[in-house]
Amino acid sequence: MLIRYGTDKFGRPVKKAVVYTKNEHNIPKEKIDFDAILIINRLKDAGFHSYIVGGAVRDLIVGNTPKDFDIVTDATPSKIKRLFRNSRIIGKRFRIVHVVFGQKIFEVSTFRSNADGSSVGNEFGTIDEDVLRRDFTINALYYDPIQEQVVDYVGGMRDIKKHVLRPVIPLDRIFTDDPVRMLRAIKYSAKTDAKISFSLRHKIRANASLLSQISPSRLTEELLKILNSGCAAEIVGEALDTDLYMALQPAATAMMYADKKFESSYMQNLVKLDELIKNSPDARLGQKLVFIIKDFIISLTDWKKESECHTAYGELYTKTWTECRNFVLPMNPQRTELEFAVKAVLTELGIHGKIVQRRKKGRSKQEKN
Ligand code: ATP
Ligand code: MG
């Protein structure tokens, strides 16, 4: 273990960070994306500092394979852009750079600081400042894949090992500055098997209603991450316990509060969803949505009778689809995926058929002939 020193305002040396070497962090280098290493190498060759940061480092330490690699550096966006022909600057308020390799996009950001007074961090800064705007210690580790060192300013490595979820941003601001952090808290607690302390849980419950201010697109993004996490049952259980699920899926939450049987079946379906993610991680979204809407569709009518009544399939399907679209609000999944899910559940319930497309009026002469 090495110590990184800085200086205080009087110029005296002060301990800033702990640096873990290869044998201490045990990150297998072969799990690092080759192109991420290439980006870091090029930034370093140009004289900049650069690290992999956040979720990828956390995942590597707990033994998971990261989905993506976020990179930070002290180079400004225009300097990053100049180093990579395959890159573009994005963002208005805070500019970051996307470096593109085929299907893969790497987000390369410049260190940011909280100098503007919020914990969102919208000004360029140093690594010491950048660390302070990250939500939890386990998400605030910096990994240098060339030297194979993990730089830890906040005790994140110890917290990962001890299974503790500890905020970096002060408790009185973390959730009021950005309520989505409450969802992130329960997600990472489940993903890394980390305990949420009594005071953190209390803060989440007290601020749960703030989630209603968040845009549907951001809530959709978070909910989809939860459904794809492979531990959706555990996260949704926590979200119900902390009153967060009311903002993510209000209709389902209300039905679960009202009906214990519905709740237990909904939760069992989430366990099945987690199995699907483990066995077929590339399953399409529609297959996953099946587990969210199944109990709701079952509750809509007596399906056995419906199948005996020979109601037109198109009519049944359209009604069910509309109900489901409202049921999953504020989540707004791709239309084709929700259609896929509704059809799959109807088929399971023995309702089959084809949707007959009505011809549009006023066909052209050519069409009529
Ligand atoms: P995953 O992508 O697996 O959900 P992640 O930790 O990589 O997890 P991202 O949303 O990709 O999450 O964010 C990357 C990093 O940026 C985080 O690890 C964290 O350090 C920081 N971060 C992201 N969102 C926030 C936020 N709302 N508040 C504070 N820090 C954040
Ligand atoms: Mg990430």
Side-chain angles (χ1 to χ4, degrees):
M1 205 160 77
L2 309 166
I3 306 291
R4 184 179 279 191
Y5 287 94
T7 47
D8 65 11
K9 57 182 176 186
F10 305 108
R12 291 178 302 214
V14 281
K15 182 177 154 185
K16 282 261 166 107
V18 174
V19 180
Y20 293 93
T21 55
K22 195 171 148 187
N23 298 335
E24 292 161 337
H25 58 65
N26 289 322
I27 293 179
K29 201 169 170 181
E30 57 283 3
K31 278 200 178 174
I32 317 284
D33 191 288
F34 183 79
D35 294 320
I37 298 183
L38 187 147
I39 294 172
I40 291 179
N41 251 327
R42 194 170 302 169
L43 281 161
K44 284 189 156 208
D45 286 347
F48 298 108
H49 296 288
S50 182
Y51 301 88
I52 294 169
V53 70
V57 188
R58 177 198 68 221
D59 290 345
L60 286 163
I61 293 172
V62 298
N64 295 336
T65 306
K67 291 186 304 297
D68 48 28
F69 291 84
D70 293 327
I71 294 168
V72 273
T73 175
D74 52 353
T76 56
S78 47
K79 288 192 174 135
I80 304 167
K81 171 107 186 47
R82 247 175 269 153
L83 286 173
F84 301 96
R85 269 197 306 149
N86 48 333
S87 71
R88 53 176 183 252
I89 296 181
I90 62 150
K92 278 196 187 121
R93 212 151 60 104
F94 192 85
R95 295 181 314 143
I96 60 167
V97 181
H98 276 175
V99 183
V100 185
F101 288 90
Q103 297 285 310
K104 286 184 290 180
I105 298 178
F106 294 88
E107 212 173 275
V108 185
S109 342
T110 310
F111 295 134
R112 286 192 238 173
S113 90
N114 294 333
D116 63 355
S118 83
S119 63
V120 179
N122 276 327
E123 287 180 24
F124 292 140
T126 60
I127 185 171
D128 320 17
E129 292 169 322
D130 188 85
V131 73
L132 297 177
R133 67 171 194 87
R134 301 200 173 261
D135 47 7
F136 301 100
T137 60
I138 62 171
N139 289 341
L141 295 167
Y142 298 78
Y143 178 60
D144 176 340
I146 318 297
Q147 304 223 44
E148 294 191 66
Q149 291 180 336
V150 172
V151 184
D152 181 0
Y153 282 79
V154 287
M157 181 69 101
R158 185 196 54 210
D159 289 345
I160 291 181
K161 302 282 176 213
K162 285 193 163 176
H163 298 276
V164 176
L165 189 80
R166 201 161 50 87
V168 175
I169 299 164
L171 251 192
D172 59 343
R173 299 173 46 191
I174 182 164
F175 302 135
T176 43
D177 282 0
D178 181 4
V180 169
R181 290 171 182 153
M182 294 187 276
L183 292 172
R184 294 173 58 86
I186 57 168
K187 182 174 72 178
Y188 300 124
S189 140
K191 277 178 85 169
T192 62
D193 199 16
K195 247 195 149 50
I196 296 185
S197 69
F198 182 73
S199 55
L200 193 60
R201 183 178 297 273
H202 181 74
K203 255 301 181 248
I204 294 177
R205 281 210 187 101
N207 288 291
S209 63
L210 296 180
L211 264 190
S212 59
Q213 306 165 359
I214 303 300
S215 69
S217 66
R218 211 165 161 215
L219 289 176
T220 300
E221 192 183 318
E222 286 304 321
L223 184 58
L224 292 182
K225 279 190 177 184
I226 292 171
L227 299 183
N228 279 314
S229 68
C231 36
E234 194 180 337
I235 300 174
V236 171
E238 276 288 350
L240 284 166
D241 182 63
T242 45
D243 298 335
L244 298 178
Y245 210 55
M246 197 45 140
L248 281 179
Q249 286 292 271
T253 307
M255 287 179 78
M256 282 194 265
Y257 284 162
D259 180 354
K260 281 275 154 221
K261 254 173 85 184
F262 182 89
E263 180 182 357
S264 119
S265 181
Y266 189 92
M267 295 308 288
Q268 273 168 23
N269 272 321
L270 291 177
V271 173
K272 288 184 198 151
L273 166 65
D274 290 339
E275 274 161 27
L276 172 80
I277 302 284
K278 271 171 208 136
N279 299 328
S280 338
D282 296 327
R284 65 184 281 183
L285 175 61
Q287 281 174 275
K288 300 167 192 167
L289 291 175
V290 163
F291 297 101
I292 294 290
I293 59 171
K294 195 168 168 180
D295 297 294
F296 173 66
I297 294 184
I298 292 171
S299 77
L300 284 176
T301 180
D302 183 339
W303 289 101
K304 200 161 173 293
K305 274 200 187 137
E306 293 289 352
S307 66
E308 287 159 6
C309 288
H310 302 291
T311 318
Y313 177 77
E315 197 183 313
L316 260 186
Y317 165 77
T318 311
K319 276 189 191 158
T320 314
W321 183 84
T322 312
E323 293 280 354
C324 286
R325 193 192 47 188
N326 293 332
F327 175 73
V328 298
L329 284 173
M331 179 170 59
N332 190 9
Q334 246 178 310
R335 188 189 173 109
T336 45
E337 296 304 312
L338 190 59
E339 282 176 353
F340 176 93
V342 172
K343 283 179 194 159
V345 177
L346 288 179
T347 308
E348 248 188 78
L349 293 169
I351 311 288
H352 305 273
K354 263 193 181 158
I355 296 168
V356 183
Q357 299 275 350
R358 282 215 194 104
R359 281 178 171 248
K360 280 190 192 142
K361 279 183 189 166
R363 286 173 298 153
S364 67
K365 240 187 185 168
Q366 223 177 4
E367 255 186 298
K368 281 180 193 162
N369 296 336

